[in-house]
Amino acid sequence: MEDVAREAGVSRALVSLVMRDSPKVSPAKRTAVLESAAALGYSPNRLASRLASHRTHTLGVLFLDLHNSVFADIHDGLSAGLAGSGNQVMVAVGSADPRTELEAVRSFVDLRVDGVILAGYTGTSEDLTAALRGTPGVVITRELEADGVDSVLTDDFRSGVLAVEHLYGLGHRRIAHVDISDWLPYTARREGYLHAMRQFGLEPQLVHSDMTERGGRAVMEQFLDSGAERPTAIFAHNDLTAIGVMEALAGRGLAVPSDVAIVGCDNIEFAASPLIGLTSIDQHARELGLVAAQAMLDRIAGTAGPAATRKLEPALMVRRSSDPAA
Amino acid sequence: MEDVAREAGVSRALVSLVMRDSPKVSPAKRTAVLESAAALGYSPNRLASRLASHRTHTLGVLFLDLHNSVFADIHDGLSAGLAGSGNQVMVAVGSADPRTELEAVRSFVDLRVDGVILAGYTGTSEDLTAALRGTPGVVITRELEADGVDSVLTDDFRSGVLAVEHLYGLGHRRIAHVDISDWLPYTARREGYLHAMRQFGLEPQLVHSDMTERGGRAVMEQFLDSGAERPTAIFAHNDLTAIGVMEALAGRGLAVPSDVAIVGCDNIEFAASPLIGLTSIDQHARELGLVAAQAMLDRIAGTAGPAATRKLEPALMVRRSSDPAA
DNA sequence: TTGAAAGCGCTAACAC
DNA sequence: GTGTTAGCGCTTTCAA
């Protein structure tokens, strides 16, 4: 920068202004600076500028799992929502391990990102607040009580209810739920399921899995082989699991939906594929990203209140896996 | 840091040493520093430490498309390969747009990352070299001629050949290829296809699409509706496209593989699903990530030569879409 | 082992 | 508009 200034015959400050294209630089000097910068192959060290300016224009984003395309959809929404805001995104993957997740958040904070967005955080509110140290946060797919942390999600309880109501309406009475690990803070889908089952006077049946296709398949195979009475319908925690369940059923020669009807949750791209035809509860993933981006921008701009929750309404997408007519 | 030093009754330099757990600090002082740091809620500003130390211990990683799970596999490999190296990863998504990609690379470089890994770069070698400004680079899924940039890929030409040989062996003679845009630098799969077709004295037939499920589907529907003579087998550039092609065929009431056999490329998770059963050419995505991570670590350590290419051998995975017996 | 001093490359007031 | 002067918060000699 020193060199560029000398070469262009101006001061370092002027170079700095040009680099940030400030309006208060004369066109002549501007081109002079730009030319010598090009000649010398100079580009500003952003580490230094960030350190000096206390602004990084970078947002840290944490995803639970890159293999679940619902996070790709959320990412699309975030990118779209952040486009033109001058912010860039730094992605980390947490793998459903609170330790890894918090490590990533701390890392973001140590780098002084302007904000942290978490899509699929599995730890506690206290740990997050501690790791954030006052950095603005937005949590997607979950409702969290924490100062300065907004929540953006789709109503998971309602999703569970929608699934059961749909299956009940089709005449099903033995409806099982493939749930996730007990310790995970994502309980609302299960609760919605349990609530609706009770409302209809039905006996709930829970099986635990791990949110993956492989997991859903394994748990279902095990279940089918156990000789337990088979449900006529299954509501799975997410689409990946639901697809795994469908694979297990196919492997045992059972037909979907005539032997067992399936409903997933998330409405990922593959669920909609005619090859799969999975009935699912749309979480509006892309819009979650969009809304979260806006919430973060508001929070950074200081125009946000203490901590808001934005909850979207889920939408039932009926397909072949629950209704052959669809 | 000043405060911590005062609180612990030591100098700032000592605090710095403790924070980087240097071995040359007495245990007593160490705990004293750690305690006052905890008491004051201090954590080092990594921007500052990076600026001063000229090392960021961060690698920039660029992915072509988060919706294609082959990149999630590559990411898994990278994480595994980098685990324990003390490096963290910063992800950006390029969306097959050279401008966006170069922008991301420049951004990485301006932040002084220690290296840049590109999985699915679509621009030119010159532009990349210019954007990198000497930062070590590793390109995955492509062979690039550039100083200080290693290439890690699976033999794409061979993949194309494998696909055709497989289909020829099954008796197919009218084998079409669903290709990608002409301007993209990923031409080897097509060339392998063309080469093998010529070898067998067959007439090649190319259709262009865009590497996505939706794109593959659209192009196939259009093709089927055009009334052109239908091939008996199709080799698609990647699995996403192949799945789109299968959807289009299903939509027109054509059976796979009896009416049309399909071979994809990448061997993504869903290809292996019994619900899809797509024959594919495995690119060993996870291993690509692993190898790329190692190449980058070597390059950063300075133990790498000028620019090496590591090429893996693709593997044919036969499934239902080409062979009902599989 | 510990401390003092000199940067890292840039931004931000302020004065010119 | 343009230049001057301090820092930003840490690392790094180097001497003690």
Side-chain angles (χ1 to χ4, degrees):
Chain A
M1 179 158 164
E2 192 74 60
D3 303 336
V4 176
R6 196 177 321 112
E7 170 90 8
V10 299
S11 76
R12 293 179 26 194
L14 211 264
V15 176
S16 173
L17 287 177
V18 171
M19 280 345 246
R20 286 175 282 150
D21 30 51
S22 150
K24 28 187 170 182
V25 177
S26 67
K29 299 254 176 187
R30 149 165 281 121
T31 54
V33 169
L34 253 25
E35 270 172 22
S36 15
L40 294 167
Y42 166 83
S43 86
N45 181 331
R46 292 222 218 166
L47 278 182
S49 76
R50 288 174 174 203
L51 178 60
S53 71
H54 298 282
R55 287 287 262 111
T56 59
H57 296 288
T58 297
L59 265 28
V61 177
L62 179 81
F63 289 121
L64 178 62
D65 176 17
L66 247 33
H67 290 275
N68 188 339
S69 72
V70 76
F71 294 106
D73 293 335
I74 291 176
H75 180 267
D76 285 348
L78 285 172
S79 304
L82 257 23
S85 73
N87 286 101
Q88 78 170 118
V89 157
M90 231 170 111
V91 172
V93 180
S95 314
D97 172 31
R99 217 174 351 227
T100 309
E101 292 166 3
L102 289 166
E103 189 55 45
V105 172
R106 266 184 233 110
S107 183
F108 284 149
V109 171
D110 288 348
L111 284 168
R112 301 298 188 263
V113 297
D114 293 344
V116 176
I117 298 175
L118 302 104
Y121 171 61
T122 62
T124 69
S125 163
E126 293 72 38
D127 286 346
L128 180 59
T129 308
L132 240 25
R133 297 165 163 273
T135 306
V138 173
V139 170
I140 308 184
T141 72
R142 182 169 167 199
E143 195 163 4
L144 208 74
E145 292 274 332
D147 279 357
V149 179
D150 291 325
S151 299
V152 177
L153 72 164
T154 307
D155 191 333
D156 277 333
F157 184 89
R158 182 91 189 104
S159 296
V161 170
L162 272 181
V164 174
E165 283 179 353
H166 168 63
L167 291 167
Y168 186 88
L170 290 167
H172 293 281
R173 294 301 177 264
R174 273 210 312 287
I175 306 170
H177 177 50
V178 181
D179 201 2
I180 53 176
S181 305
D182 265 334
W183 67 268
L184 285 167
Y186 292 91
T187 59
R189 291 181 190 174
R190 167 175 60 223
E191 280 155 15
Y193 159 82
L194 292 173
H195 175 82
M197 290 297 278
R198 268 193 298 271
Q199 289 279 308
F200 289 127
L202 302 178
E203 186 72 27
Q205 184 175 13
L206 294 176
V207 198
H208 292 275
S209 185
D210 68 356
M211 309 201 252
T212 69
E213 180 185 348
R214 187 183 309 234
R217 184 173 176 178
V219 95
M220 197 62 207
E221 283 172 348
Q222 196 181 327
F223 181 84
L224 290 174
D225 294 348
S226 75
E229 193 180 20
R230 200 173 56 210
T232 67
I234 293 173
F235 166 51
H237 177 83
N238 66 9
D239 288 344
L240 248 33
T241 305
I243 290 171
V245 166
M246 290 172 84
E247 291 169 357
L249 292 167
R252 295 296 185 273
L254 294 168
V256 172
S258 53
D259 290 322
V260 184
I262 311 285
V263 175
C265 200
D266 282 351
N267 197 33
I268 61 174
E269 212 172 343
F270 271 110
S273 166
L275 302 178
I276 305 280
L278 173 64
T279 295
S280 188
I281 318 284
D282 194 352
Q283 303 291 302
H284 313 294
R286 195 188 141 88
E287 194 178 345
L288 287 178
L290 230 34
V291 173
Q294 194 51 58
M296 180 51 86
L297 292 177
D298 290 349
R299 195 151 279 292
I300 289 174
T303 61
T309 292
R310 265 154 266 216
K311 204 180 268 190
L312 307 185
E313 194 60 24
L316 175 70
M317 310 295 289
V318 179
R319 303 202 180 91
R320 237 174 36 235
S321 76
S322 69
D323 184 358
Chain B
M1 178 155 164
E2 191 73 60
D3 303 336
V4 176
R6 196 179 318 112
E7 169 88 8
V10 299
S11 75
R12 293 180 25 194
L14 211 260
V15 175
S16 172
L17 287 177
V18 172
M19 279 348 241
R20 284 175 284 149
D21 29 51
S22 150
K24 29 187 169 185
V25 178
S26 67
K29 299 254 177 188
R30 150 165 280 121
T31 54
V33 169
L34 254 25
E35 271 170 22
S36 12
L40 294 168
Y42 167 84
S43 87
N45 181 331
R46 292 221 220 168
L47 278 182
S49 74
R50 288 174 173 203
L51 178 59
S53 70
H54 298 283
R55 285 289 261 113
T56 59
H57 297 287
T58 297
L59 300 176
V61 177
L62 179 80
F63 288 121
L64 178 62
D65 176 16
L66 247 32
H67 290 276
N68 188 340
S69 72
V70 76
F71 294 105
D73 294 333
I74 291 176
H75 179 268
D76 285 348
L78 285 172
S79 304
L82 257 23
S85 73
N87 286 102
Q88 78 171 117
V89 157
M90 230 170 115
V91 173
V93 180
S95 313
D97 172 31
R99 218 175 351 227
T100 309
E101 292 167 1
L102 288 166
E103 188 56 45
V105 172
R106 267 184 231 109
S107 183
F108 284 148
V109 171
D110 287 348
L111 284 168
R112 301 298 188 265
V113 296
D114 292 344
V116 177
I117 298 175
L118 302 103
Y121 172 61
T122 62
T124 68
S125 162
E126 292 72 37
D127 286 345
L128 181 59
T129 307
L132 242 23
R133 296 164 164 275
T135 306
V138 173
V139 170
I140 307 183
T141 72
R142 184 171 165 198
E143 194 162 5
L144 209 74
E145 292 275 332
D147 278 357
V149 179
D150 291 324
S151 299
V152 176
L153 71 163
T154 307
D155 191 333
D156 277 334
F157 184 89
R158 182 90 189 106
S159 296
V161 171
L162 272 181
V164 174
E165 285 179 352
H166 169 63
L167 292 167
Y168 186 88
L170 290 168
H172 293 281
R173 295 299 177 265
R174 274 212 310 287
I175 306 171
H177 177 50
V178 181
D179 201 0
I180 53 177
S181 305
D182 266 334
W183 67 267
L184 284 168
Y186 292 92
T187 58
R189 291 182 190 174
R190 166 175 62 224
E191 280 154 16
Y193 158 83
L194 292 174
H195 174 82
M197 291 296 280
R198 269 193 299 268
Q199 289 280 307
F200 290 127
L202 302 179
E203 186 72 26
Q205 183 175 14
L206 294 176
V207 198
H208 290 275
S209 185
D210 68 356
M211 306 202 254
T212 69
E213 181 185 346
R214 188 183 308 235
R217 184 173 175 177
V219 95
M220 198 61 208
E221 283 173 347
Q222 197 181 326
F223 181 83
L224 290 174
D225 294 348
S226 74
E229 193 179 19
R230 199 188 337 133
T232 67
I234 294 173
F235 165 50
H237 178 83
N238 68 7
D239 289 344
L240 247 33
T241 305
I243 290 172
V245 167
M246 290 172 85
E247 291 169 357
L249 292 168
R252 293 297 185 275
L254 293 168
V256 172
S258 52
D259 289 322
V260 184
I262 312 283
V263 174
C265 199
D266 280 351
N267 199 32
I268 62 175
E269 212 172 344
F270 271 109
S273 166
L275 302 178
I276 305 281
L278 173 64
T279 295
S280 188
I281 318 286
D282 194 352
Q283 303 291 302
H284 314 293
R286 195 188 141 87
E287 193 177 347
L288 287 178
L290 230 33
V291 173
Q294 194 51 57
M296 181 51 87
L297 292 177
D298 289 349
R299 196 150 277 295
I300 290 175
T303 60
T309 292
R310 266 153 266 218
K311 202 180 269 189
L312 307 185
E313 196 59 24
L316 174 70
M317 310 295 289
V318 179
R319 303 204 180 89
R320 237 174 34 235
S321 76
S322 68
D323 184 359

